[in-house]
Amino acid sequence: MITPKFIAARALLVCASALFGMHSVWAGIPIQHWMQPSGVRIYLVESPAIPMVDVQIDLDAGARRDPIDKPGLANLMAASTANGVRASGAGPALDEHQLSEAWADLGASFGGSASADRMSFGLRSLTYPDLLDKAVALAARQLGEPSFPEAPWLRDRPKMIASLKEANTRPATLAARAFSQAVYGSHPYGRETTEASLLRTNVEDLRALHAKVLRACAAQVSIVGALNRAQADALVAKLLARLPQGGCTAQPAVPEVAALTAASEVRIPFASAQAHVLVGQPGFKRNDPDFFALTVGNHILGGGGFTARLTEEVREKRGLTYSVYSYFAPGMHAGAFTIGLQTRPDQAEQALTLVREVVTKFVEEGPTEKELQAAKDNLIGGFALRIDSNKKLLDNVANIAWNGLPLDYLDTWTQQVERLTVADVRAAMARTLQPNRMATVVLGAPEPSR
Amino acid sequence: MKHPFHLSGARWAAPVSTFALAASLTIPCLLLPLTASAAEVQTTPAATLAQQFTLKNGMTLIVKPDRRAPTAVHMVWVRVGSMDEVDGTSGVAHLLEHMMFKGTPTVKAGDFSRKVAALGGRENAFTSKDYTGYLQQIPSAKLEDVMRLEADRFANNTWTDEVFAKELEVVKEERRLRTEDKPHARLHEAMDAVIYQADPYRRPIVGWMSDLESMTADDARAFYRRWYTPTNAAVIVAGDVDVDAVRVLAERYYGTLPVHALPQRKPRTEPEQTGMRRLDFKAPAEQAYVALAFKVPGLQPAGLPATAAASTDATSEDALALTVLSAVLSGYDGARLPRALTLSDKPVADEAGAYYGLTARGPQLFTLYGIPAVGKTATEVEAALRAQVALVAKDGVTEAELTRVKNRWVAGEVYKQDSVFNQARLLGVSWINGFPLGADQLLLERLRRVTAAQVQAVAAKYFGDDALTVATLLPQPVDSTRKPRVPAVGLRH
């Protein structure tokens, strides 16, 4: 639909609720962690088998910190680093075309984006020394010396506006937007880029934000690939060399997501082949001590594919939908708990009633012993599937780094799942979810006859 | 990057961000894995080359060890897809894929999924125009368990009419989700039916709604009996496995399955197109969209002989050159189409690209597509897309561009090794299309020998009007008060 460079930002929550445990025959995943004098925190997993490396830089500069009148600014700034670099001691100025050709010639890629919590930059390169040196040097320039030229910004802004308008013709977008409003209210997690906010944003905003947030001392760098610690250390020093050193100050606190005080229901008329139904409320924060119980609970309720209760009831038993799911989105704040499905318009009421019954019963009674055991078997048995590629490992290492989890998190995970009881799961779900105070959005269904 | 891929119906799709387009299996630009020769890519100590065997009953087994993690992927690929259907039962290949989860005499409906989950596994299935596939990702110690389960359902799938009726409703919802509410998906569905008149590629994978409405349980059973036989399928295992051990297990579980004769596949050859076809498509949307599909040759297994140095036919050389052309046109951020159409001072398009598949069981298209910029028309985008191809035909491509796209393929070979799942998938596609093991390396060597002159020649040869179909999306206002386009129908009981 839109190339990554032009993805209009919205406060998308990256679900960091991946589950990890430990494969019984496996030695642990050794995560090396150290700090450089600049203050940057480095996390490394050596993966020597393939001559490649993935690097992820994370900063506390996500969409939740966007100016209230410019939602999406963080993502736009990070993505716009691809529009060119300025001349410096490191080399001549490069425009967007020279930059993209340089990356293509290196067989490497580099790009930035921002989610609700984090601003992230990712580098992927081969580790042949000549190529890697050039790739890191180029990434350092794009990170530290982007030019944010005005012409590409003015050229691309109408594209972003057009793609926003296009998205607003789609039932799924409209339903999600209404749901986000109902759950988050005025919280930054619910703010969305609009045509007006894009028109208010100019390259000076991009430059100012870059100058404010891109600092070595604010970065944490996660690395997975064919590098040892000394090589990784040198890579990070070079990667961040063109950023200001020092100057990190405590950031202002962002308010929490307010709990819903009452149930709400929004019905949006829309002429579509399917009605879209969304039900939910603010969920929990990533640092919640009940993280494991809630994650396992949701796996049983609606996160575990074909064996989940929602799938069983709505799809398998009744054929009402192709896709029904539930998920938590824990972050720095309580991301939404969301149940979603699409169904033929005349079936929307039946499906909604069913979903409410299923979630109410689950919160009241919790899972059965059999369900809990099945979830444990799947999650513990399948742990290795969560870390069987560099890419998956990187996501996990960055998650550990970002959330300040213990370095042996991956090694102790299965124990954390194994020790859960039905009572633990039930209590955690009941504490977190209140089915009588959930927001409901139904788009594209006929008015219910009541 | 969106390109007009053929949607594959999967049995289950994860929820997607509303900002993304359809969650679907996007078919990569090259349907064959490219592996650089050993001279460039150090072989991974943990991985060894894939090996292929024929089991006692004629079923194919392909094993690709990669011992980096204690996991494995296990797939069964059946050489049957929507192209093997006949009119009136479009969508039956995909529907059967859904029914394969509904039981055998020894595993009752739903238990297949429960058993795979209990093993710590993940599972799914997928259907395309060319093939149907079933997969599990599991801890490698559980390989035998999923082999037993998969072999059982391959040979003994059975279910009641009632179970069928319910799953048919699920598939109709899938069609509504993937196609009915998505203007681009509906346009490409309509476009395929205009591009092809005799060729079965004219039918949508998920099926026409009217065919789903009239589908019977016996339609699906007959399709299963006709096409699901060991000689029409391959087992693919990749990951933390020992080749000999896998071979023993495969003989035990798959090599003993009964075989029946395959029906004759009728060619249904598309008559030559002798004039441009145009299609206007109205749908509620904000942005227009235009797609141009040119009929072009693809690469057949015979066109990729075992020694790359062997002289080959001109058609295969053209197919390889078209692959390079598509990469030069839209293979990277600053490639020709985005640069000329979307990244210029006065862009004519918000998005522009090219897509070419190279290998498939059926005929090939070279597709150009674009979304007009505000104030520009689909007609202007269409002209601009064709002008870029004409420019290559007139002036050729630079050595720098040629080197760039080839280097990216070589680098991509290394990155590709990170995903065992993806390697297994590519081995499957390659087998479906009739290529031998090692074709990926041969292909890369051949692609690296494609010259600027060859690219220029195919740009001049294949992009005239006569074999072209143009489809244009004409955006209509979104009227939330009008009646839904698709009439509601009662549940079938």
Side-chain angles (χ1 to χ4, degrees), chain A residues 59-350:
Chain A
L59 303 149
D60 181 2
R64 71 188 183 125
R65 298 191 177 280
D66 283 336
I68 194 156
D69 61 336
K70 290 166 188 162
L73 182 64
N75 186 58
L76 292 168
M77 185 275 272
S80 298
T81 58
N83 285 347
V85 299
R86 59 179 189 265
S88 74
L94 299 173
D95 69 14
E96 57 185 326
H97 306 304
Q98 293 164 315
L99 200 49
S100 64
E101 284 174 2
W103 284 118
D105 287 338
L106 289 166
S109 56
F110 181 81
S113 65
S115 64
D117 288 345
R118 303 185 228 184
M119 181 180 292
S120 305
F121 294 88
L123 169 68
R124 168 168 273 198
S125 174
L126 303 177
T127 48
Y128 307 131
D130 53 331
L131 282 177
L132 181 60
D133 284 351
K134 289 185 184 132
V136 173
L138 189 61
R141 296 193 67 198
Q142 196 173 322
L143 197 62
E145 299 164 347
S147 51
F148 297 117
E150 185 157 44
W153 169 250
L154 294 178
R155 178 199 64 207
D156 292 341
R157 189 165 58 182
K159 295 179 191 173
M160 299 176 205
I161 291 168
S163 77
L164 275 178
K165 287 179 172 171
E166 177 65 41
N168 282 334
T169 68
R170 306 295 164 88
T173 312
L174 295 172
R177 193 155 286 167
F179 180 72
S180 177
Q181 282 303 304
V183 171
Y184 294 124
S186 63
H187 191 272
Y189 273 12
R191 285 182 208 147
E192 309 228 353
T193 307
T194 61
E195 178 174 0
S197 74
L198 282 167
L199 291 171
R200 273 195 296 269
T201 305
N202 53 48
V203 290
E204 284 72 30
D205 296 308
L206 305 178
R207 289 173 188 156
L209 182 64
H210 180 271
K212 182 177 157 195
V213 302
L214 263 292
R215 307 200 169 280
C217 47
Q220 46 192 37
V221 183
S222 304
I223 305 173
V224 178
L227 297 179
N228 61 30
R229 178 169 171 157
Q231 291 167 320
D233 193 60
L235 181 151
V236 174
K238 193 169 165 185
L239 186 59
L240 306 182
R242 313 208 69 79
L243 293 179
Q245 305 296 305
C248 288
T249 49
Q251 301 227 62
V254 174
E256 298 298 352
V257 176
L260 299 181
T261 52
S264 66
E265 196 165 303
V266 180
R267 292 190 170 259
I268 303 168
F270 199 85
S272 46
Q274 284 183 313
H276 289 245
V277 178
L278 293 164
V279 178
Q281 64 181 110
F284 67 97
K285 292 166 67 164
R286 181 58 185 79
N287 62 6
D288 192 309
D290 278 336
F291 173 83
F292 287 97
L294 292 164
T295 304
V296 172
N298 183 67
H299 183 86
I300 298 164
L301 173 62
F306 295 125
T307 55
R309 269 198 202 190
L310 283 167
T311 306
E312 177 66 24
E313 294 297 327
V314 187
R315 172 173 161 161
E316 299 298 296
K317 279 190 189 168
R318 295 175 182 82
L320 290 172
T321 190
Y322 171 63
S323 165
V324 58
Y325 54 87
S326 69
Y327 62 91
F328 284 110
M332 304 300 282
H333 310 283
F337 168 76
T338 308
I339 299 174
L341 65 91
Q342 320 79 23
T343 188
R344 207 176 61 209
D346 60 303
Q347 299 173 148
E349 286 316 305
Q350 185 193 355

Side-chain angles (χ1 to χ4, degrees), chain A residues 17-40:
Chain A
S17 60
L19 305 171
F20 309 99
M22 196 48 237
H23 189 264
S24 53
V25 303
W26 232 357
I29 299 289
I31 302 175
Q32 301 172 65
H33 171 48
W34 68 99
M35 211 165 160
Q36 287 183 345
S38 67
V40 58

Side-chain angles (χ1 to χ4, degrees), chain B residues 212-246:
Chain B
L212 294 178
E213 293 287 358
S214 63
M215 192 80 69
T216 68
D218 284 337
D219 289 333
R221 291 181 186 121
F223 197 82
Y224 171 66
R225 282 195 301 270
R226 200 174 297 135
W227 296 108
Y228 279 56
T229 187
T231 51
N232 199 36
V235 183
I236 296 176
V237 178
D240 177 35
V241 296
D242 173 81
V243 176
D244 293 335
V246 172

Side-chain angles (χ1 to χ4, degrees), chain B residues 39-288:
Chain B
E40 281 99 22
V41 178
Q42 306 156 5
T43 44
T44 303
T48 52
L49 289 176
Q51 295 185 55
Q52 182 166 331
F53 309 95
T54 303
L55 303 180
K56 284 193 293 279
N57 57 1
M59 196 165 188
T60 299
L61 169 69
I62 300 173
V63 189
K64 169 75 174 76
D66 182 331
R67 319 297 293 253
R68 285 176 302 147
T71 61
V73 55
H74 167 254
M75 300 178 172
V76 166
W77 289 68
V78 191
R79 197 177 271 133
V80 69
S82 63
M83 71 177 284
D84 301 288
E85 297 162 350
V86 294
D87 276 358
T89 54
S90 68
V92 69
H94 170 245
L95 186 52
L96 173 61
E97 175 230 299
H98 279 240
M99 298 316 297
M100 288 285 283
F101 289 80
K102 298 299 181 185
T104 71
T106 53
V107 178
K108 68 179 203 295
D111 274 2
F112 186 96
S113 297
R114 273 186 281 276
K115 286 173 190 279
V116 171
L119 298 168
R122 304 173 184 181
E123 53 154 0
N124 214 330
F126 46 88
T127 308
S128 83
K129 299 209 175 197
D130 291 350
Y131 51 77
T132 312
Y134 301 86
L135 71 99
Q136 298 87 35
Q137 294 167 279
I138 34 138
S140 45
K142 307 294 186 188
L143 178 63
E144 182 171 1
D145 299 274
V146 292
M147 275 193 164
R148 187 186 300 116
L149 280 165
E150 191 66 84
D152 173 46
R153 76 170 167 179
F154 184 89
N156 306 308
N157 180 230
T158 184
W159 26 263
T160 63
D161 290 11
E162 189 189 10
V163 170
F164 173 86
K166 211 168 288 170
E167 195 63 20
L168 182 56
E169 295 305 318
V170 171
V171 170
K172 288 183 203 165
E173 293 295 348
E174 183 177 0
R175 180 183 160 85
R176 291 183 187 108
L177 182 69
R178 288 182 182 279
T179 308
E180 305 281 350
D181 280 335
K182 299 205 164 97
H184 289 201
R186 283 170 53 218
L187 175 140
H188 277 284
E189 177 177 271
M191 190 179 181
D192 282 350
V194 170
I195 292 169
Y196 298 113
Q197 296 173 335
D199 193 279
Y201 272 15
R202 69 191 314 277
R203 286 188 302 264
I205 297 162
V206 72
W208 299 112
M209 191 59 98
S210 128
D211 287 350
L212 294 178
E213 293 287 358
S214 63
M215 192 80 69
T216 68
D218 284 337
D219 289 333
R221 291 181 186 121
F223 197 82
Y224 171 66
R225 282 195 301 270
R226 200 174 297 135
W227 296 108
Y228 279 56
T229 187
T231 51
N232 199 36
V235 183
I236 296 176
V237 178
D240 177 35
V241 296
D242 173 81
V243 176
D244 293 335
V246 172
R247 208 175 160 181
V248 168
L249 290 175
E251 286 289 7
R252 182 180 311 156
Y253 293 106
Y254 290 106
T256 51
L257 299 179
V259 179
H260 65 73
L262 270 175
Q264 195 187 2
R265 297 185 198 260
K266 307 219 178 231
R268 296 177 289 183
T269 309
E270 183 68 12
E272 187 187 2
Q273 184 178 337
T274 55
M276 194 194 301
R277 296 173 193 163
R278 282 194 174 273
L279 166 72
D280 283 348
F281 191 87
K282 293 181 179 176
E286 173 69 26
Q287 297 175 294

